[in-house]
Amino acid sequence: MRARYREQGLWGLVDGRAARRRSPLGRADERVVAAIEQALQAQRERSTGTLSRLRRTVGWILEDAHGAGTVKVPPASTFNRLVHALADRQGLLGTAAQRRRHSSRPAPPFTPTVALRPGELVMLDSTPLDVLVVLADGVVGKAELTIALDVATRSICATVLRPMGTGSVDAAVLLAQMVTPMRMRPGWEEALAMSRSVLPYERLVSLDARLEGAAARPVIMPETVVVDQGRVFISASFTAACDSLGVSVQPAPPANGPAKGNVERTFLTLGHRFSQYVAGYTGSDVTQRGTGVEDEACWTLPQVQDLLDEWLVADWQHRRHASLRHPLVPKLAVSPNEMWAALVGVAGYVPVLLSAEDYVELMPVKRLGINDYGIRFDCRTYDHEVLNPHRGFKSTAPDGMWEIHHNPYDPAQIWVRLPEGWQEVPWIHRERVSLPFTDFTWRHIRATVARRGDRDEHEQQLAQALDRLLRRAGNGEGTRRERTVAARAGAAASLAGPAAPAGAARTPHSPDTLLRPGRRFTPASLDEPDSEEFEDGWDEDAEVLVSTDEADGATGGDEQPPGPAAVSRPTRIYDALSEATQW
């Protein structure tokens, strides 16, 4: 010990056995280790397999590299320990989904997303809703949910439920929903009103008269929206809609779920606290689906939207979230409404009133020319006398094209930005199609009708085929594919149904309950313990989502103001005139 002390100092007196480093691989053959690493890398993108498959693969690699029988594969138990020592925490083992999640994680260290005022950072995302809905004519299908989540308050500021396939117009609708108060619906409990909540109602209603009679959901104007790389959110139409409202768009890195961790966690909680209680719940994947789920589905798309809106106001906005802490009392967990009430006093509140032109600005945009026959795109021709002074002329834009906005859920008309303002231009064959249709239905017709004759004859044939398809599907005829296509169009049109008058009795299928009879989202249910963190069913008074003809039939045929005035026909997103003139 004296000799070791003279040679190594104090370290020479330490027991060497305690300082000996042991390899996690033990005394494994380096050739076997290299073969396992090669096999693990080769299966990184493959479907889920077993360790026995991996062991056979390693044996084949050793045979190819060193010859048959030269290097033996270790026994199964030893091989499994060796694989875990090499692959654990490296994202090389597990199911295909687990490997993809690990590969999408950014490199540490991780910086949490912080927002200090309402609207500073808003996350948008879409996911299939785990509930089957009745689209139209008894056809059952799934719907897609798009939400806007405010990071500072964890408030779900807007939701849009559509048949599968979110479009850029749906994403733009979220922006309009966020700045528009949600009004109380017929049959909702009075406790869900903003005047009965913790929100500073008296101060806010003095600034924004729209809040009178509103539900207890914050009205937040986004400054920056965080979106993924989906084509809907990075499209030129959505970017233009954000620009029209002065909203910045911040795309998340590709295949990086944690960059939008707040909204992803919200979707998980929504499935646990809402979807599984709704009739027609399917589970998150086919392995969790029960038998006869299609027969259990009984809610239409507008009814599920109404259920979701009621749940958001009654449960989500009032339930305390472990990740939300009061700015002055860090140990106190608060609800989204309480957090907004605390922050709005510091950040302030400025009402944003959207005009009829603002709603048109939110729709998808195209740049086209105005010809002698009108405006043509997607095999449809739009024409009106308001185009006469501009036929054959270029616009003042650098490309010489005219700005055209259209609604994919109602292609029967478009809006053109002319020097005198927005002008509505109808489809020349609009009267030939007796039932509502969408861009999805039109694409189906284009794919099934062969072109015979010139362009004008082909457009007439498409209009006739579209009308026949909608009529057949409405009578329960046609192929299953045709009925599904028509049902999706009918579901989009059903969201544009006439508004129910205030105080009207609810229909037998009104969303008074979820799966359990008598179950309601009331404030009394908010005290239930929970360990987890925590349109168009919009305003049914001012936001009437019907066409002019439908509105006439519902109100006894009142005449509309004459003339080709801009935006004279309500859109299927909002009744722009009603919304703009009311406030």
Side-chain angles (χ1 to χ4, degrees), residues 201-258:
Y201 174 75
E202 297 296 336
R203 296 172 57 191
L204 292 173
V205 77
S206 64
L207 300 174
D208 190 353
R210 300 177 303 166
L211 296 178
E212 185 175 356
R217 190 195 73 175
V219 182
I220 297 175
M221 177 63 190
E223 300 175 17
T224 301
V225 294
V226 180
V227 298
D228 56 20
Q229 297 292 325
R231 61 180 180 85
V232 170
F233 297 111
I234 62 175
S235 64
S237 299
F238 179 71
T239 304
C242 291
D243 290 342
S244 68
L245 294 178
V247 179
S248 301
V249 180
Q250 178 180 318
N256 193 337

Side-chain angles (χ1 to χ4, degrees), residues 257-270:
K260 300 188 288 75
N262 299 102
V263 70
E264 297 291 351
R265 184 62 180 86
T266 300
F267 282 139
L268 181 62
T269 303
L270 191 145

Side-chain angles (χ1 to χ4, degrees), residues 24-75:
L25 306 179
R27 300 178 181 179
D29 192 326
E30 293 182 357
R31 295 170 294 181
V32 175
V33 172
I36 294 176
E37 291 177 341
Q38 180 181 345
L40 288 172
Q41 292 295 337
Q43 75 162 18
R44 181 187 289 271
E45 303 297 333
R46 295 187 63 188
S47 302
T48 304
T50 62
L51 286 175
S52 60
R53 185 187 74 177
L54 181 65
R55 187 166 180 265
R56 288 178 180 272
T57 304
V58 170
W60 297 333
I61 294 175
L62 292 174
E63 288 184 4
D64 294 341
H66 306 286
T70 303
V71 181
K72 294 183 178 180
V73 181

